[in-house]
Amino acid sequence: MNSIVDFPERVDIKTDDNVPFAEKILHKCRYELAVHLLKSKSSLKVLDAGCGTGYGAEMMAVMGSQVLALDIDDKTILSNELKYKNIKNLHFLKADLTQDTKLNFAPLAITCFEVIEHITKVNGIKLLKNFYKMLPSNGELLISSPNRNLTNLLKKIMPDFNNPFHLYEYTAIELAEILLGIGFKSIEIYGQYPFLPILYLLTKKNRQMKWFYRPRKLLPHAICRYFVIRARK
């Protein structure tokens, strides 16, 4: 990790010392938003789709939710099962939700952070449709993506800015329109991290700057590096 063109994937905010503080906070803040938005619904069932190293699923389980965390990678699931074995309301399962996977779990909320940009647009739409089918009429989805417009601008400025792990990124408006087309009724967009590279470099290790990375509805998503959408069914 040495510049703003590094691409950390499967970040473990607890143990990976090679990941800059700013990157850890960018990831953690999304789950903090989820905890904040869902905290009034105590003991609800939450599906964490694409849980990665499991830190976000743990945050929601500590809140009191019954959490089923899914990932497509066998080793990740086995590692998480060992790491979080003492949390009784947190379970892990290998699953690919772009397929018609049957789960013995009925979530009231679904979180999907740092996932949809890693699959093609066709599979992304399949994923969103499956989320819609899983949720009850009052259920909600929290999902994030990098802002494609800003990514394209950065590629023009910095030729090295090309994340090989991202197959299709969205704009906030594009993803919101897809969700509405699938059937979701209410959409809220939270901009995350107004992209100012100088501030990013200055705050890589500055723990006092955590506020700078929190998703907010008032931030113009067009100038943000990432966004989070809250979609209600």
Side-chain angles (χ1 to χ4, degrees):
M1 302 293 163
N2 52 30
S3 74
I4 56 173
V5 296
D6 292 318
F7 302 108
E9 303 290 338
R10 290 195 178 274
V11 171
D12 191 328
I13 63 174
K14 293 183 175 182
T15 61
D16 194 342
D17 294 331
N18 293 320
V19 177
F21 172 74
E23 288 293 342
K24 293 181 180 181
I25 290 302
L26 277 168
H27 288 71
K28 185 179 180 183
C29 280
R30 296 178 192 119
Y31 281 102
E32 289 179 337
L33 175 66
V35 168
H36 172 73
L37 294 176
L38 301 175
K39 65 183 178 183
S40 62
K41 304 173 182 178
S42 59
S43 301
L44 83 164
K45 290 184 176 181
V46 180
L47 183 73
D48 187 27
C51 64
T53 56
Y55 65 88
E58 179 198 24
M59 290 168 63
M60 293 186 292
V62 169
M63 175 182 73
S65 298
Q66 297 292 324
V67 181
L68 177 61
L70 308 181
D71 202 275
I72 199 169
D73 184 67
D74 285 303
K75 291 182 180 179
T76 296
I77 293 298
L78 290 173
S79 174
N80 288 344
E81 287 175 336
L82 289 172
K83 193 189 315 181
Y84 301 109
K85 63 183 178 181
N86 293 326
I87 304 178
K88 303 305 179 186
N89 56 323
L90 173 58
H91 303 280
F92 294 92
L93 179 69
K94 180 187 176 183
D96 179 0
L97 290 182
T98 63
Q99 308 301 317
D100 291 327
T101 304
K102 302 297 182 183
L103 302 174
N104 187 25
F105 189 80
L108 184 59
I110 297 174
T111 53
C112 184
F113 299 140
E114 299 296 309
V115 175
I116 197 167
E117 64 269 24
H118 292 274
I119 57 180
T120 64
K121 185 177 182 180
V122 170
N123 281 335
I125 292 173
K126 288 180 183 177
L127 180 71
L128 297 174
K129 287 180 177 179
N130 284 338
F131 288 160
Y132 185 81
K133 286 188 229 178
M134 291 177 186
L135 289 167
S137 58
N138 60 338
E140 58 185 283
L141 167 67
L142 293 166
I143 186 167
S144 72
S145 171
N147 175 3
R148 185 180 72 238
N149 285 344
L150 195 51
T151 297
N152 289 341
L153 175 62
L154 291 170
K155 285 179 179 179
K156 292 178 181 178
I157 299 171
M158 296 179 289
D160 290 337
F161 199 92
N162 181 36
N163 190 332
F165 303 106
H166 289 188
L167 301 186
Y168 188 84
E169 296 180 359
Y170 296 78
T171 67
I173 296 303
E174 176 189 19
L175 188 53
E177 289 177 347
I178 291 172
L179 290 166
L180 289 170
I182 288 170
F184 285 95
K185 304 300 183 187
S186 173
I187 299 289
E188 295 174 1
I189 301 175
Y190 296 75
Q192 185 184 22
Y193 175 31
F195 194 68
L196 301 169
I198 295 300
L199 282 180
Y200 176 90
L201 294 171
L202 290 175
T203 61
K204 269 190 172 185
K205 295 183 180 180
N206 187 343
R207 296 173 185 272
Q208 303 304 314
M209 296 294 290
K210 181 178 176 180
W211 58 269
F212 181 70
Y213 301 99
R214 288 177 180 148
R216 292 181 175 87
K217 276 199 285 189
L218 295 179
L219 281 176
H221 52 80
I223 65 166
C224 287
R225 182 70 191 97
Y226 307 94
F227 61 86
V228 177
I229 288 182
R230 183 188 194 185
R232 294 187 182 96
K233 187 170 175 180

